[in-house]
Amino acid sequence: MTKAIDPLHNEDLLAFLEAASSPYHAVAQAVQRLEKAGFEELRETEEWTGHSGGRFVVRGGALLAWYVPEGAPAHTPFRIIGAHTDSPNLRVKPTPDTGSAGWRQVAVEIYGGVPLNTWLDRDLGVSGRLTLRDGTAKLVKIDEPLLRVPQLAIHLDRTVNEGLSLDRQRQLQPVWALGRPEPGALLRRIAAGAGLDPGEVLGWDLMLHDVQKPGLLGADREFLVSARLDNLVSVHAGAATLATVAQSWPAAAERIPVLAAFDHEEVGSGSETGAQGPLLERVLGRVVTARGGGAEDWARALAGTICASADMSHAVHPNYSERHDPDNHPLPNGGPVIKVNVNQRYATDGTGFAAFAAAADRAKVPWQRFVSNNAMPCGTSIGPITAARLGVTTVDVGVPGLSMHSSRELCGADDPGYLTRALTEFVSAG
């Protein structure tokens, strides 16, 4: 059996993927790893004064973390790893208890670009956060088979293999019991899982997740399979990078490493915790002013800043190779890809390309190129948004995989470790 280049990294990644069933859980898991490395939380409502070392800010499903070397001038530039914590899924509506024909069901809304068929006939749990009367939030996770979206039997739809079409309102509501709908039943079940009285809960952000555990697959276990690889592989790599550099960051370092893990990328990033909002700009600005910097220091810091926007990418699909660019066929375990799109769906230019490629070479990590087939619409990332908001050089990179946005995705077992090593070199030197 072939062993991954970094089995300990993958062991931690698998645990991270299993635990991080919602953006809020992803943030909590990343925070655990950062706190273990000595990072401390800052509150946005409190005054920030000059400091060095590792700090982080949490806002809902978003996390910003950074490490300031001792004595770093206020104009020290940043090396940013950008990522996002959310994944396409089914989310619980505000009035969830519904039903039909003697079945009790849960009303859900589709979040992001979901291949709907991948959510059929899977055992689903519920996770997210509950907001209480006092304004505090509590994470909750029902990690057991609670719901299921049943597919219609082929006997009742003989044309299903000619093309499945699902009504997004009527045919994606999961079942979870028999009988008449009971208002408040789901909330009672979820609140009990969090050890709360349902009367304490006034709001929620809940979503469904596949309860099948992540794992390794293939003849030599060369693939990693899980829900939410897009984009928790990158969030985990960013947290691992900052935890690593914090242990050996030289006091004379001429840059400040940053992890910016946003929420809501899958629906356009337009929120208070999304990349289109001012969160990153405000936090980085306060990192400058906390050390006595002014407008000139802020401008100098941004002028020297580079961002690596890390998001999952497409590996060439063996059954649909004609959908890919004929000259660029990224494969799993070939290392992270550098993503290019001249129409700025990705922010990579020659400068950013060279910066990441050089970092990967120094880290002795293989890397690949990705460009879309001209006849296929191209996806995007937080890269162009970050480049435009901050005016900083940005390169889009990511681990190549199959089944992107499916309820269960696949990537190479070596590539998460490769990405982390390349990002560590990217923020550390050059």
Side-chain angles (χ1 to χ4, degrees):
M1 179 183 295
T2 301
K3 290 185 178 180
I5 58 162
D6 194 344
L8 291 180
H9 181 90
N10 277 355
E11 182 179 328
D12 188 65
L13 173 59
L14 291 171
F16 182 91
L17 290 166
E18 183 176 356
S21 53
S22 77
Y24 317 107
H25 289 81
V27 167
Q29 287 296 308
V31 163
Q32 285 183 17
R33 287 154 176 80
L34 291 171
E35 288 182 330
K36 187 176 180 180
F39 283 69
E40 300 176 3
E41 184 173 8
L42 292 177
R43 305 287 183 180
E44 291 185 82
T45 54
E46 297 176 355
E47 181 182 7
W48 296 3
T49 57
H51 65 265
S52 60
R55 300 292 189 275
F56 65 87
V57 164
V58 171
R59 186 191 290 186
L63 167 69
L64 269 68
W66 62 94
Y67 188 89
V68 178
E70 184 72 39
H75 62 262
T76 304
F78 303 98
R79 282 293 174 97
I80 303 170
I81 300 169
H84 65 88
T85 60
D86 60 318
S87 300
N89 58 18
L90 305 179
R91 302 207 169 187
V92 179
K93 287 186 174 181
T95 306
D97 298 291
T98 186
S100 176
W103 292 85
R104 289 166 57 191
Q105 296 172 275
V106 172
V108 296
E109 189 172 2
I110 298 163
Y111 177 85
V114 179
L116 300 178
N117 63 298
T118 69
W119 285 82
L120 301 178
D121 297 334
R122 303 200 69 86
D123 299 334
L124 304 173
V126 182
S127 61
R129 67 176 179 179
L130 303 174
T131 304
L132 310 185
R133 289 185 177 276
D134 61 4
T136 61
K138 184 166 183 177
L139 298 189
V140 62
K141 184 175 183 181
I142 309 299
D143 198 27
E144 60 187 59
L146 185 66
L147 307 103
R148 185 180 180 91
V149 182
Q151 182 163 324
L152 186 64
I154 193 169
H155 311 78
L156 304 178
D157 184 6
R158 296 291 185 180
T159 65
V160 64
N161 290 326
E162 298 171 18
L164 176 64
S165 178
L166 293 168
D167 184 292
R168 298 165 72 91
Q169 175 63 38
R170 294 186 299 109
Q171 295 169 344
L172 286 169
Q173 308 307 314
V175 300
W176 74 307
L178 293 171
R180 293 179 178 273
E182 297 180 17
L186 181 69
L187 179 58
R188 290 194 295 273
R189 178 68 176 83
I190 301 300
L196 296 170
D197 183 321
E200 297 179 65
V201 181
L202 288 184
W204 59 80
D205 302 277
L206 298 171
M207 58 208 70
L208 310 190
H209 67 273
D210 182 359
V211 299
Q212 184 177 359
K213 296 181 183 298
L216 300 177
L217 175 144
D220 293 315
R221 298 296 188 262
E222 65 265 51
F223 306 120
L224 193 152
V225 288
S226 176
R228 303 176 297 280
L229 294 181
D230 177 21
N231 186 34
L232 295 189
V233 165
S234 300
V235 175
H236 179 267
T241 293
L242 260 66
T244 296
V245 300
Q247 307 308 307
S248 58
W249 198 255
E254 298 178 351
R255 61 198 56 81
I256 294 171
V258 177
L259 168 62
F262 299 102
D263 200 354
H264 301 131
E265 189 271 350
E266 298 293 358
V267 292
S269 297
S271 72
E272 63 166 319
T273 52
Q276 284 203 49
L279 180 59
L280 177 60
E281 186 175 356
R282 286 180 179 174
V283 168
L284 295 186
R286 294 182 70 179
V287 173
V288 170
T289 58
R291 305 196 318 281
E296 181 71 8
D297 297 291
W298 172 237
R300 291 177 66 187
L302 290 186
T305 292
I306 302 179
C307 173
S309 168
D311 203 345
M312 284 291 290
S313 185
H314 300 290
V316 61
H317 197 301
N319 297 337
Y320 302 91
S321 59
E322 74 281 359
R323 304 291 182 99
H324 299 264
D325 181 82
D327 300 313
N328 293 273
H329 281 179
L331 285 170
N333 296 326
V337 300
I338 304 175
K339 300 187 276 188
V340 177
N341 179 263
V342 296
N343 293 300
Q344 296 302 295
R345 301 291 287 172
Y346 302 127
T348 307
D349 63 5
T351 301
F353 193 111
F356 188 83
D361 287 344
R362 290 192 301 270
K364 296 181 171 52
V365 166
W367 53 272
Q368 307 176 80
R369 297 172 175 85
F370 174 84
V371 63
S372 289
N373 184 310
N374 289 346
M376 294 287 153
C378 181
T380 190
S381 73
I382 65 163
I385 297 171
T386 304
R389 277 205 64 95
L390 296 183
V392 298
T393 297
T394 302
V395 53
D396 273 289
V397 302
V399 165
L402 296 180
S403 307
M404 188 183 294
H405 287 194
S406 170
S407 65
R408 197 163 177 85
E409 301 163 321
L410 175 150
C411 72
D414 287 343
D415 286 331
Y418 280 146
L419 177 64
T420 302
R421 283 165 46 180
L423 289 174
T424 301
E425 187 64 29
F426 173 82
V427 302
S428 299

